[in-house]
């Protein structure tokens, strides 16, 4: 099980939101590069970045912070990014910078043709971010709830050739209320590509619960507030997951 620390970027700083609310942000660091180095030192094998300003504006905003993170990591581990990615030029620029994976969320739902083109142009490097509440897809920084069923959309996007799917239960994100194991497993059983869980991880019990269903096709989990508020120790959690897999 791959445990992936999240670095959410807003105005050049590392923050965490509650349920995606940009007005409910907690600042955890003014130095994104140092934060990335911290997770690398603790044994992280991948980092998850979100350009929160970009998610609203529809174009990259936190470029300086992203550059500092990539410099700190120095290609030792893969880094993935999401937020405001709406065109192939943006994807190409990110990959040229040294990012390993690009996450397409809202644009994938609103413009499936763009996702298809992206998967074709950059095979193995496109991850789809599906954010849902009660089984329905949310878009535009979670501000809008669509009529699209998450299972149907996931199946369609799998056929396009996306590398994996990040599934976030937005009702739990940033709330430390526990992972929605049932919905995550239901999604992983519906498709054959890997699922990365997201939203609600509070402590080691959540990691254990995910390890128990890893065989269903859940390859990893994104960790945010639990790490920054200290309810989960990253190194301890990754060691636990590794021993569980052994």
């Amino acid at each position: 099980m791959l445990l992936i620390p999240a670095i959410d970027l807003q105005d050049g700083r590392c923050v965490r939101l509650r349920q995606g609310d940009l007005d409910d942000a907690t600042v955890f660091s003014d130095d994104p590069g140092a934060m990335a180095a911290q997770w690398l030192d603790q044994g992280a094998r991948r980092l998850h970045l979100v350009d929160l300003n970009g998610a609203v504006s529809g174009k990259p905003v936190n470029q300086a912070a992203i550059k500092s993170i990539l410099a700190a990591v120095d290609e030792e581990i893969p880094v993935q990014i999401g937020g405001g990615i709406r065109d192939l030029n943006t994807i190409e620029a990110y990959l040229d910078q040294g990012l390993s994976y690009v996450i397409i969320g809202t644009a994938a739902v609103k413009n499936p043709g763009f996702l298809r083109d992206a998967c074709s142009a950059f095979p193995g490097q496109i991850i789809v971010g599906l954010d849902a509440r009660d089984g329905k897809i949310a878009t535009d920084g979670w501000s809008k709830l669509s009529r699209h069923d998450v299972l149907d959309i996931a199946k369609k996007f799998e056929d396009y050739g996306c590398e994996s799917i990040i599934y976030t239960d937005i009702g739990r994100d940033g709330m430390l209320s526990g992972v929605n194991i049932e919905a995550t497993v239901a999604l992983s059983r519906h498709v054959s590509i890997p699922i990365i869980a997201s939203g609600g991880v509070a402590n080691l019990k959540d990691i254990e619960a995910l390890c128990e269903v890893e065989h269903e096709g859940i390859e990893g989990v994104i960790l945010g507030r639990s790490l920054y508020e200290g309810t989960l120790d990253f190194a301890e959690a990754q060691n636990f997951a590794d021993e569980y897999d052994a």
Side-chain angles (χ1 to χ4, degrees), residues 130 149-159 165 187 191:
L130 294 183
D149 183 86
V150 67
L151 297 182
D152 294 341
I153 287 286
K155 193 67 177 177
K156 181 165 83 170
F157 291 169
E158 176 186 24
D159 293 340
I165 292 172
L187 177 58
V191 295

Side-chain angles (χ1 to χ4, degrees), residues 118-147:
C119 290
S120 176
F122 309 103
Q125 295 183 289
I126 304 299
I127 296 173
V128 171
L130 294 183
D131 308 321
R133 188 192 299 273
D134 300 325
K136 299 298 181 183
I137 295 289
T139 62
D140 299 277
W142 303 351
S143 62
K144 298 178 182 178
L145 200 62
S146 75
R147 297 178 182 177

Side-chain angles (χ1 to χ4, degrees), residues 162-211:
C162 64
E163 174 68 13
S164 56
I165 292 172
I166 296 172
Y167 174 67
T168 304
D169 182 327
I170 63 176
R172 300 186 184 222
D173 189 73
M175 303 303 290
L176 301 177
S177 56
V179 179
N180 190 336
I181 296 289
E182 184 180 355
T184 306
V185 169
L187 177 58
S188 65
R189 288 176 175 173
H190 198 69
V191 295
S192 60
I193 57 174
I195 301 297
I196 299 172
S198 175
V201 171
N203 50 45
L204 202 57
K205 288 184 178 179
D206 291 308
I207 302 303
E208 183 177 7
L210 284 164
C211 286

